[in-house]
């Protein structure tokens, strides 16, 4: 039921032109999703949320039914209305920032460094350590 509500809200928000982007958290959890969105989207992120319970589960857990979305601040009320009507829980995680991914107390990384590691990771893993 939760998955149906979340997917319904996301699809409605897309149809209504509310969202700029949407990305699930199934591969690496919230922190990996935010990092990938920052790298591929070319913008940073500044978290304003508190982790509840275990920080590792909150940031890296691959729980179902979680989608990170971006939208203009003027569309937030419309998204909240859609989520409430669909029965989908939602929370504000933070906002788009300039050139870093920051989750206070946990992550503070430049997009430049993250991008370099992400783009060359497979090649380095396959070729092994440099002599």
């Amino acid at each position: 039921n939760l998955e149906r509500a979340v997917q319904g809200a996301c699809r409605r928000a897309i149809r209504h032109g509310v969202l700029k982007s949407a990305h699930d958290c199934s591969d690496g959890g919230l922190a990996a999703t935010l990092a990938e969105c920052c790298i591929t989207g070319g913008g940073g992120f500044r978290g304003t949320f508190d982790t509840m319970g275990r920080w590792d589960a909150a940031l890296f857990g691959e729980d179902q039914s979680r989608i990170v979305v971006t939208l203009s601040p003027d569309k937030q009320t419309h998204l909240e209305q859609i989520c409430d009507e669909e029965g989908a829980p939602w929370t504000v995680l933070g906002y788009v920032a300039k050139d870093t991914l920051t989750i206070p107390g946990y992550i503070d990384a430049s997009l430049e460094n993250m991008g370099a590691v992400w783009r060359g990771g497979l090649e380095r893993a396959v070729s092994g350590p440099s002599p």
Side-chain angles (χ1 to χ4, degrees), residues 114-129:
M114 287 191 319
V117 170
W118 184 72
R119 287 183 184 85
L122 180 59
E123 291 81 8
R124 281 190 299 282
V126 171
S127 66

Side-chain angles (χ1 to χ4, degrees), residues 47-81:
T48 58
F49 64 96
D50 292 322
T51 59
M52 293 174 39
R54 291 180 33 198
W55 68 268
D56 57 334
L59 296 179
F60 299 102
E62 297 178 342
D63 297 343
Q64 291 180 206
S65 307
R66 296 190 307 164
I67 302 174
V68 171
V69 300
T70 59
L71 61 151
S72 298
D74 63 322
K75 305 273 187 176
Q76 183 174 333
T77 301
H78 193 179
L79 179 61
E80 291 171 6
Q81 178 184 0

Side-chain angles (χ1 to χ4, degrees), residues 9-103:
C10 189
R11 289 193 338 262
R12 268 185 67 192
I14 290 168
R15 277 195 313 270
H16 289 228
V18 173
L19 304 182
K20 290 184 176 184
S21 70
H23 193 303
D24 73 306
C25 297
S26 65
D27 191 15
L30 178 61
T33 295
L34 291 170
E36 188 174 330
C37 289
C38 288
I39 293 166
T40 60
F45 172 79
R46 173 80 181 171
T48 58
F49 64 96
D50 292 322
T51 59
M52 293 174 39
R54 291 180 33 198
W55 68 268
D56 57 334
L59 296 179
F60 299 102
E62 297 178 342
D63 297 343
Q64 291 180 206
S65 307
R66 296 190 307 164
I67 302 174
V68 171
V69 300
T70 59
L71 61 151
S72 298
D74 63 322
K75 305 273 187 176
Q76 183 174 333
T77 301
H78 193 179
L79 179 61
E80 291 171 6
Q81 178 184 0
I82 290 170
C83 288
D84 290 345
E85 289 171 1
E86 293 288 334
W90 58 271
T91 189
V92 175
L93 295 174
Y95 55 90
V96 175
K98 188 167 180 150
D99 56 4
T100 61
L101 167 60
T102 305
I103 300 174

